Amino acid sequence: MLTALTGVHGDRADAVTVAGRTASYEELLGAARQVAADLAESGVPAFAVTATPTLETVAAVVGALLAGVPCVPLPPDAGPAERGHILRDSGARPIEVDFARRSDRTPDPATAAARTPDDPALILYTSGTTGAPKGVVLSSAAITADLDALAEAWQWSAEDTLVHGLPLFHVHGLVLGVLGALRTGSRLVHTGRPTPEAYAAAGGSLYFGVPTVWSRIARQPQAAAALSGARLLVSGSAALPAPVFRDIERASGHRIVERYGMTETLITVSGRAGGDLHPGTVGTPLPGISTRIAAEDGAEIGELQLTGPTLFSGYLGRPEATAAAYTEDGWFRTGDIAAVDEKDGVHRIVGRASTDLIKSGGYRIGAGEIENALLDHPRVREAAVVGVPDADLGQRIVAFVVAEGVSGAELTDFVAAHLSVHKRPREVRFVEAVPRNAMGKPQKRLLLDGAAPDPT
Ligand code: MCA
Ligand code: AMP
């Protein structure tokens, strides 16, 4: 998986920059080998990495891959509930990582990565509609298949400088944004935070962002114009609004390539470099991926289902949830509603089957997880959480609660502290009761219909 670290592209003094610190391949490999040796000595079954945007995180992940120990990245701001759940569920343990400590001893990266292509490489925690996040087990075979398919689709090579500032505990920032650079041999500049100013200053050829990042760049035309010298701009993790696509094109001359994926499937559908790109479309399946639309008789839209070599190995320790994610004939059920153009096979994602999965700032957030966190507060008697359209975040988390003697800001802070900051409700509304159907299930449509429109 880590082709660049085998020296095929030579070394490079500025191979990887993270939040202003730069390392060569040799330095990264030395630090990662030390991590691999420490992991082997510690005997931990899985490696919990607090995924701050730092060189230490990159060395930790690479070290785990070299050692063949599954890596479990943790959101750096995860509170005790979220962190505790992930550590308990995965059995992962942290070990200390010091980028200044280097080893020149094997394991050799090429052979160590190739030895166990179907073994778990990464376990990424992601929210479902109910309950606590599940561990998505990804093999090196799946990751490598995805990165090679993307390299072909985007003509991504060692000539590129990849720029992004996305979190290192999800597929977008970690698999594409770090391992992708180490496989293709492109230089990597991680900006620490994905701000318009940092993207504009980075001088890259290939840029990754979630729609919120592109929409913030679009609102600063000077920053967007600074990207005109790039080769390719790519958006994913949530739907890119058409006005943002057009504003970026106007300011930078680039039509953003949109691609679609999930933690469980990696990236499966994408526009192509040099292809015909249109707002609201996510391109065609990557090589090796098959898709189908499970539509009611005669309908053109329905659930997107897919198969291919990039799919996960299952939810950690949850065979029933894994089985439920597939149809009887073995296709993965994405839960996304899509349409496919009959003539050119271009896919459009038109919505989600469940209102209980929220996409905010490109983060996938389960309503049930937030509701459970709110119900842990002693003052909260009922809670129902929904995603409301938001010009900046795509959707913003709105919590309807029945509670007394506590403020909305206190409840927001409570969720931010127990889970993680991006899971906090942006708005808390106090209601007399949560409307429920005869079965006692919250009627979220009623809450959504009553929610005020996006003030921006
Ligand atoms: C505010 N803050 C608080 C509170 N309120 N802190 C604690 N308690 C509170 N109550 C602070 C935060 O600490 C932070 O401070 C600041 O407010 C902003 O918070 P945040 O919500 O994080 O920032 P944002 O500006 O709203 O974030 C927008 C973003 C972010 C940068 C676009 O949403 C983001 O990074 N999204 C990327 C998600 C992603 O990568 N998804 C990929 C998964 P400070 O600024 O000091 O830190 S999807 C995927 O992997 C699939 C496969 C795919 O298709 O890609
Ligand atoms: P996650 O597991 O966090 O990667 O979230 C996966 C979900 O993100 C998918 O099921 C989609 O709902 C959404 N998603 C990812 N990329 C796109 C896209 N280009 N357009 C619309 N939705 C997207």
Side-chain angles (χ1 to χ4, degrees), residues 101-119:
R101 283 179 61 225
R102 312 264 163 79
S103 164
D104 56 7
R105 297 221 334 267
T106 46
D108 171 69
T111 51
R115 226 172 12 234
T116 56
D118 293 320
D119 287 343

Side-chain angles (χ1 to χ4, degrees), residues 62-271:
V62 173
L65 291 168
L66 296 184
V69 174
C71 178
V72 182
L74 299 164
D77 62 347
E82 185 162 334
R83 198 181 162 88
H85 165 70
I86 296 175
L87 295 179
R88 267 192 312 278
D89 192 71
S90 64
R93 293 286 165 268
I95 66 160
E96 208 188 321
V97 175
D98 177 354
F99 200 81
R101 283 179 61 225
R102 312 264 163 79
S103 164
D104 56 7
R105 297 221 334 267
T106 46
D108 171 69
T111 51
R115 226 172 12 234
T116 56
D118 293 320
D119 287 343
L122 295 177
I123 303 171
L124 302 183
Y125 275 78
T126 192
S127 302
T129 51
T130 56
K134 296 192 280 285
V136 171
V137 181
L138 296 168
S139 67
S140 8
I143 294 169
T144 308
D146 205 49
L147 295 176
D148 289 351
L150 289 173
E152 188 181 326
W154 301 340
Q155 294 164 22
W156 181 6
S157 75
E159 305 291 305
D160 279 306
T161 295
L162 169 64
V163 176
H164 72 93
L166 296 167
L168 299 184
F169 47 91
H170 282 310
V171 165
H172 198 163
L174 180 61
V175 175
L176 277 61
V178 173
L179 302 181
L182 296 178
R183 179 137 183 98
T184 57
S186 61
R187 239 185 100 216
L188 170 62
V189 177
H190 188 287
T191 57
R193 302 266 312 180
T195 61
E197 297 77 13
Y199 275 41
S205 65
L206 176 60
Y207 283 80
F208 292 167
V210 296
T212 301
V213 169
W214 292 119
S215 121
R216 290 179 185 182
I217 292 173
R219 272 187 260 132
Q220 294 192 31
Q222 270 179 313
L227 306 184
S228 55
R231 185 178 68 76
L232 202 69
L233 313 182
V234 184
S235 179
S237 304
L240 182 71
V244 175
F245 179 100
R246 292 198 197 93
D247 288 350
I248 294 282
E249 184 179 15
R250 205 171 300 122
S252 73
H254 287 292
R255 293 167 84 82
I256 293 181
V257 172
E258 194 169 355
R259 92 297 181 290
Y260 162 85
M262 287 184 80
T263 307
E264 291 89 336
T265 65
L266 301 179
I267 308 309
T268 49
V269 182
S270 180

